[in-house]
Amino acid sequence: MGMPLHDNARPASEQPPGRGAYQPPGIQASGGASAAGRRMEATHVVRALAPIMAVVFVAYLIIGIAMPVLPLYVHDGLGLSTFMVGVAAGIEFAAALISRFWSGRYADTRGARRAMVVGLLLGAAAGLLYLVSLQFVRAPNVALGLLLVGRVLLGGVESFVITGALSLGLVLGGTRHAGKVIAWVGTALWAAYAAGAPAGTALYASHGFAAIALATMLLPLLALFLVVPLPSVPASGTARPPITRVLGAVSVPGFGLALTAVGFGTITTFGALMFSERGWSSAWIAFTAVSVFFILGRVFFGHLPDKLGGARVALVCVVIEAAGLAMIWLAPTPFLVFMGSAVTGLGYSLVYPGFGVEAVRRAPPESLGLAMGAFSAFLDLSLGLSNPALGLLAGRTGLSSVFLVSTLVVLSAALIAARLLRAPRIDRVERDALRGTCP
């Protein structure tokens, strides 16, 4: 379950002057710690995050298990068109995007742990609606309506759980460990996606969509037992800045994140089509290579944004990701596509933590939940706009051009990282002092 944590943990904005964010036992805030001490401190951060990561894993597992089978249920089970398949898949993305700001404000005002509980309850309700929709298979329009409502709730799961997890993780680990927090919580998310696809396929093949519905309903309820022991972080009494101010604070790193997400979306959306067009097999290896090297990058290098600076790490990783996409664009054989996918996954792995550290440093300390929700919204918006645009491009100029354009778009994010490097950094203590909250 992780380390015992105090129930009276308080965010940085509530701490008395001279104190930082709450630190779990064993995490010291000494700036002069030895190398061994820093390694031990990093280990304690990961241990403190373990139950949060478990909750994130469950939340995204129920999203992942539906991905490969939802089209089969809508198209084959309900007999509906491929357009409705797209609607059923895309409505979750739209709901996640819209609810990002709501979930962020909720985490700031009502507590991060409560936001995670709301997300899990929404997941259980989504599973129940999946199950009820099966009773109306002979009335497919009714079944689809119930399914779509469930998908909307599932979008809420994504927003509330990840925003609450990041908010609580930043309190437990401290903002100086923001890179580690973002990297490890994100690793749990990706691991859930990787496990969800084969698990969902196996469940659907053996027991149909009813098994998907039951898993979606029951797993979040079990995950509530992981949330209960987590510390309850009381909301700050500080006045909340308007959403526009928070959005403005994270907009530059958020825009950098949006540009880099285009590369990931290109591989997942158009990779299989490229293999089919060229008569190649085993396209799944490209997807696996992206995921595996993404996770390896987070595991082995997730500490670098905190150590070297988020913008510096993002700059290097943007170039690596762009190089991987260029390899795919120029690849004459499947093997080189697999290699390019691995390089892309490695580069993309630290882009979110890198730009995320910069977003945390610029965000108002009393609105970290809203800041992380707004920052993540750039990712949702990027994938929602770029995939259809690149699809139109592929229809006119061919699939190969999609990877060339993606390479250039991702590479342009280097300009954002360079701008962040040149910008004068104002740390949290200095920012609080300017507001008169410190003596």
Side-chain angles (χ1 to χ4, degrees):
M1 188 68 69
M3 302 182 61
L5 301 172
H6 296 309
D7 222 21
N8 60 349
R10 303 172 68 187
S13 58
E14 293 188 331
Q15 297 290 0
R19 290 182 61 186
Y22 165 75
Q23 300 289 346
I27 298 181
Q28 302 298 329
S30 173
S34 65
R38 287 193 296 268
R39 286 194 296 271
M40 182 177 296
E41 182 177 332
T43 301
H44 283 305
V45 171
V46 175
R47 288 178 59 193
L49 291 175
I52 299 176
M53 292 167 61
V55 175
V56 171
F57 180 85
V58 171
Y60 280 83
L61 183 65
I62 64 174
I63 296 173
I65 59 176
M67 283 182 174
V69 302
L70 182 70
L72 300 178
Y73 174 58
V74 174
H75 189 267
D76 300 338
L78 300 180
L80 298 174
S81 66
T82 53
F83 172 74
M84 295 314 301
V85 170
V87 171
I91 197 170
E92 182 204 331
F93 150 76
L97 175 62
I98 293 171
S99 60
R100 290 287 189 189
F101 299 96
W102 180 27
S103 64
R105 183 68 84 189
Y106 188 91
D108 289 330
T109 58
R110 305 296 296 275
R113 187 179 70 171
R114 184 174 292 184
M116 297 170 71
V117 170
V118 169
L120 293 173
L121 292 177
L122 289 173
L128 179 61
L129 287 169
Y130 281 7
L131 200 59
V132 174
S133 74
L134 287 166
Q135 308 304 312
F136 295 91
V137 173
R138 296 184 182 277
N141 290 332
V142 177
L144 179 65
L146 292 167
L147 182 68
L148 292 180
V149 176
R151 298 291 294 171
V152 169
L153 295 182
L154 208 60
V157 175
E158 182 174 349
S159 293
F160 275 83
V161 171
I162 195 65
T163 302
L166 288 172
S167 300
L168 185 56
L170 288 171
V171 172
L172 298 184
T175 54
R176 66 196 187 92
H177 291 294
K180 296 184 187 70
V181 171
I182 295 171
W184 281 101
V185 171
T187 299
L189 184 158
W190 273 74
Y193 277 149
T201 301
L203 286 173
Y204 189 80
S206 58
H207 301 291
F209 196 72
I212 303 296
L214 286 172
T216 303
M217 181 173 63
L218 297 178
L219 286 176
L221 297 178
L222 294 175
L224 288 173
F225 291 101
L226 297 172
V227 179
V228 170
L230 293 175
S232 177
V233 181
S236 169
T238 307
R240 303 290 169 184
I243 290 178
T244 52
R245 179 182 165 192
V246 177
L247 185 60
V250 303
S251 60
V252 174
F255 186 53
L257 173 68
L259 293 174
T260 59
V262 173
F264 166 71
T266 299
I267 293 178
T268 57
T269 305
F270 301 102
L273 293 177
M274 183 181 70
F275 270 72
S276 175
E277 180 183 75
R278 299 183 182 182
W280 296 342
S281 60
S282 302
W284 64 270
I285 298 179
F287 304 135
T288 301
V290 172
S291 299
V292 169
F293 278 83
F294 180 96
I295 292 174
L296 289 176
R298 289 281 178 94
V299 170
F300 290 104
F301 306 111
H303 64 287
L304 291 181
D306 294 323
K307 182 178 180 180
L308 303 178
R312 184 172 287 106
V313 171
L315 177 60
V316 174
C317 289
V318 162
V319 175
I320 294 174
E321 182 186 352
L325 289 166
M327 290 174 64
I328 297 174
W329 169 53
L330 297 170
T333 64
F335 177 75
L336 288 179
V337 174
F338 302 150
M339 294 294 293
S341 299
V343 173
T344 301
L346 182 62
Y348 187 59
S349 66
L350 296 186
V351 166
Y352 190 102
F355 283 122
V357 165
E358 298 299 328
V360 169
R361 287 174 176 168
R362 286 161 173 76
E366 65 275 12
S367 295
L368 284 180
L370 179 58
M372 294 314 299
F375 178 67
S376 299
F378 281 92
L379 176 63
D380 297 327
L381 189 62
S382 172
L383 294 175
L385 295 178
S386 65
N387 285 346
L390 290 173
L392 291 174
L393 177 67
R396 294 189 176 187
T397 60
L399 282 171
S400 181
S401 63
V402 168
F403 290 91
L404 171 60
V405 171
S406 297
T407 300
L408 298 176
V409 170
V410 169
L411 194 58
S412 67
L415 299 176
I416 305 297
R419 175 183 172 182
L420 292 171
L421 270 175
R422 291 194 303 268
R425 179 185 147 191
I426 301 178
D427 63 23
R428 187 170 302 282
V429 173
E430 182 180 350
R431 194 162 62 237
D432 288 346
L434 290 173
R435 293 178 183 172
T437 59
C438 290

